Amino acid sequence: MRTVQARRRVITAVAGAAALVTAFGAGVLVAADGTDVATPPRAHTTPLQLVNADLTTGASCDDLLDSYIQRAIDLVGPWGWGMGGDVMYATGDAELSTGKVEAASPPTTRVTNSETGTNVQEAGVDEPDVVKTDGEHVYRIDDDELTTYDATGDEVTELASLDLDGIADAEILLVGDQVVAFGASLPRREGDTRMVVLDVSDPAAPMVTGAWAYDATLVTTRQNGDVLRLVLSNGLPELDFVTPDGDLGEQSAQRKNEELVRASTLDDWLPHAVEVTDDDTVDPASGELVADCGEVAVPSDDEAALGTMTVVGLDPSQSADRTVASVATEAQTTYFSTDRMYLATSAGWGWCCQSTDLRIFPPEGQLPDGTTQLYAFALDGAATEYVASGEVDGMIRDRWAMDSADGVLRLALGATQATGNFNSIVTLREDDGELDEVGRLDGLGPNEDIKSVRWFDELAILVTFRQVDPLYAVDLTDVEEPASLGVLKIPGYSEYLHPLGSDRMIGIGQAGDLSGSITGAQAALFDVTDLTDPRRLDTVEYPRYSQAGAAIDPRQFTWLPDQRMALTVVSKGWQGRTGWVSVLRLADGRMDDELVPVEYGEEIEQVRLVPLPSGKVVLVTGDGVSFLDL
């Protein structure tokens, strides 16, 4: 049976770790169409280590299945999954706490692109993209076609092109001389994922060395050193539910649907994987379960969101080992640092809402229910170890609202009915298996939504918006007493923030007037030398009704520190729209802008600006790959 996103909840993923194998080895299964397909041997895995009572493991596969069924019975109704519910409304206002301090302003840090050319959230944690570079060669994936280029000459020269059968909408990571592509599996079916590994030791002759299919939704991938981690999500199973009709009443439909849930098996709840050999249409559900029963942790709280998050850790240089970690719950947000992975459940709006991405926005005038559940995992090589869990009042907007520094988890939280109608900065520490809240600053941006967050060594910059853009500087030098240093209120808002050194920051977002009306995309330069008095030094306003690409996808922003130059993508219009590269040259607290038209239409989302060690910048558009004339 197939799995789908549950109607009741937004199902994203939990993360974990495992190791990619260049060959899964022996074993043969017969697919539904009669095709012989190789299946991976059981992985060598480290026993799941649980350090507190928030997660448990079943004594047997029967116990694990029973835990799924008992929690699922409460979620099924006469029409299948989901039974409706009321939406709560928030009332009351919050008082803003300024909490200014006399301590010296904490320093900011410098952030640049990853070694493979992608603008990432965390230094040392690479993220997938449609283009990667090793400094001399460029690797670009366009749907299912990988093209390699030589970027050492005066022009970018195409070397080779290779169609990757059975994958669509792919993105890639680069590990040494191997490209790993991740995307939807073809023939396209909801929730299937395909991974293809290529040897690019000779960029003029890329060669596929392996391909695998999963019957799970790929939420994201991350790269720590040579280890890749796939975050996979399985929602509630798609069972053959009945619905009330002229012959079947609601109570009878309810009973029949409950019987279907009780008759479900672990094959319905857990992900499968199969190595793709000659037949690229193999059904991944015909493969082997990715995790053993003893590798699936179950939340002890019966109210925890139901689903399965599986983390597969891969190292292309290894041919035998991989690790798996699964949790029988769902997570709204996944955040990676260099040594930790955190899963955060959604505080949710009951039954009212769903989301198609990782950014969740409440309906006007409504607040989500209350608390966010948190799970912390230590990352060591390809291994993933559960180390702590906890909960916090408030809602995490997206992964950019999370950060880890010096053993402290730092969160920017939006309003829920467990707090007030304001935003907060919260700090937590791991202590004997618990994530304990140690510091909290409430009252930021009353009646406003979080638009962007950027974390520094001992500093958080938080932007909220309703009519004007309050930019808050929060001192995290003492994690037990976060303190608001200063507030800057200006029209419009920044949706993406990027540090430019120790005293400058650029914000990409929307220009606006004092009434709260949005007029078009904007770049703003901020001086954060004195954090008790942050200042906006200069702005560049783009054409009316334009959009800033970095506000939606930060990979469309590139900072060139040696040239003191920022590059970002701007577009205007919806059909047949124009896309520019905005070249922002910074000097003496000012930004000089040059708009360079580069693309039109839907392919604007694919535009990338990849810096090379030579100082050149590679421009990727729908038409090809070239150097950007600076």
Side-chain angles (χ1 to χ4, degrees), residues 134 143-144 188 233 241 280 286 294 306 319 323 337 369 375 410 417 458 537 572 589 627:
D134 60 8
D143 191 20
D144 65 345
R188 190 184 294 270
S233 173
F241 289 127
D280 63 354
S286 67
L306 183 57
S319 60
T323 61
S337 70
D369 293 341
Y375 301 94
R410 314 184 302 185
Q417 299 194 39
E458 297 171 335
L537 300 177
K572 180 181 179 181
F627 288 128

Side-chain angles (χ1 to χ4, degrees), residues 412-629:
L413 297 170
T416 70
Q417 299 194 39
T419 61
N421 201 1
F422 52 77
N423 304 288
S424 309
I425 296 290
V426 176
T427 57
L428 303 99
R429 276 202 183 101
E430 298 171 14
D431 183 14
D432 194 24
E434 301 289 339
L435 277 173
D436 292 336
E437 183 176 313
V438 295
R440 189 178 189 107
L441 174 64
D442 291 320
L444 302 174
N447 300 307
E448 295 181 337
D449 300 325
I450 294 176
K451 290 298 182 181
S452 57
V453 186
R454 196 77 201 213
W455 305 91
F456 303 84
D457 291 343
E458 297 171 335
L459 169 71
I461 298 293
L462 176 71
V463 172
T464 63
F465 179 75
R466 183 68 67 185
Q467 286 187 317
V468 295
D469 171 5
L471 184 150
Y472 297 91
V474 178
D475 185 1
L476 295 170
T477 304
D478 183 352
V479 297
E480 296 182 1
E481 294 186 6
S484 177
L485 292 172
V487 181
L488 173 64
K489 294 191 175 184
I490 49 179
Y493 55 87
S494 297
E495 296 173 277
Y496 174 71
L497 299 170
H498 196 93
L500 307 181
S502 61
D503 56 2
R504 294 288 189 272
M505 182 177 66
I506 194 168
I508 304 296
Q510 294 288 320
D513 55 33
L514 293 178
S515 70
S517 297
I518 301 304
T519 59
Q522 171 184 273
L525 180 64
F526 297 96
D527 183 347
V528 291
T529 305
D530 180 2
L531 293 171
T532 65
D533 184 27
R535 295 183 298 134
R536 187 172 70 176
L537 300 177
D538 195 16
T539 60
V540 170
E541 293 189 8
Y542 298 107
R544 191 169 181 81
Y545 307 126
S546 58
Q547 295 178 303
I552 300 172
D553 187 347
R555 297 175 302 182
Q556 288 197 314
F557 180 91
T558 295
W559 168 240
L560 306 174
D562 293 339
Q563 294 100 314
R564 299 294 297 171
M565 184 183 301
L567 308 173
T568 192
V569 179
V570 178
S571 64
K572 180 181 179 181
W574 297 101
Q575 293 182 347
R577 67 189 191 275
T578 301
W580 298 273
V581 170
S582 172
V583 182
L584 297 166
R585 295 176 173 86
L586 280 61
D588 301 323
R590 302 283 298 175
M591 294 186 297
D592 291 328
D593 175 52
E594 177 186 359
L595 282 179
V596 180
V598 296
E599 190 55 273
Y600 300 91
E602 295 180 352
E603 292 181 332
I604 293 174
E605 284 78 10
Q606 298 293 309
V607 173
R608 295 291 188 271
L609 301 149
V610 183
L612 300 178
S614 64
K616 296 179 180 179
V617 174
V618 173
L619 170 65
V620 177
T621 66
D623 292 333
V625 177
S626 61
F627 288 128
L628 179 66
D629 185 2

Side-chain angles (χ1 to χ4, degrees), residues 24 127-128 130 171 199 201 230 341 434 556 585 621-622:
F24 274 101
E127 302 179 17
V130 296
E171 294 186 341
D199 183 346
S201 55
L230 288 76
M341 176 189 70
E434 301 289 339
Q556 288 197 314
R585 295 176 173 86
T621 66

Side-chain angles (χ1 to χ4, degrees), residues 43 157-158 212 219 231 295 311 339 367 375 412 481 540 589 592 610:
T157 305
E158 181 177 330
W212 292 266
V219 177
V231 180
E295 296 165 352
V311 186
D339 63 353
L367 290 179
Y375 301 94
E481 294 186 6
V540 170
D592 291 328
V610 183

Side-chain angles (χ1 to χ4, degrees), residues 157-330:
T157 305
E158 181 177 330
L159 296 175
S161 183
L162 181 64
D163 288 333
L164 308 182
D165 294 332
I167 196 170
D169 302 326
E171 294 186 341
I172 58 175
L173 285 165
L174 177 63
V175 186
D177 57 6
Q178 295 184 83
V179 167
V180 185
F182 308 88
S185 187
L186 296 178
R188 190 184 294 270
R189 298 187 305 178
E190 185 175 0
D192 283 0
T193 296
R194 184 157 300 200
M195 175 178 66
V196 180
V197 184
L198 301 102
D199 183 346
V200 293
S201 55
D202 180 0
M207 180 176 59
V208 173
T209 59
W212 292 266
Y214 298 85
D215 64 341
T217 299
L218 178 66
V219 177
T220 192
T221 56
R222 289 293 184 270
Q223 178 180 342
N224 295 73
D226 291 336
V227 174
L228 310 183
R229 291 183 170 89
L230 288 76
V231 180
L232 300 170
S233 173
N234 289 84
L236 302 179
E238 185 181 85
L239 303 176
D240 296 326
F241 289 127
V242 299
T243 58
D245 54 26
D247 299 323
L248 194 66
E250 288 191 19
Q251 289 184 349
S252 296
Q254 172 90 31
R255 286 193 298 270
K256 287 183 176 294
N257 289 340
E258 289 180 357
E259 291 173 1
L260 287 170
V261 171
R262 291 190 176 96
S264 63
T265 69
L266 287 178
D267 279 316
D268 298 317
W269 293 97
L270 300 179
H272 301 74
V274 62
E275 183 177 7
V276 180
T277 52
D278 295 332
D279 185 350
D280 63 354
T281 63
V282 63
D283 181 2
S286 67
E288 189 179 75
L289 290 176
V290 173
D292 283 333
C293 298
E295 296 165 352
V296 182
V298 180
S300 58
D301 184 359
D302 290 337
E303 298 299 319
L306 183 57
T308 305
M309 323 305 173
T310 301
V311 186
V312 181
L314 319 167
D315 182 351
S317 67
Q318 303 294 324
S319 60
D321 293 337
R322 63 184 176 101
T323 61
V324 176
S326 291
V327 182
T329 189
E330 60 168 318

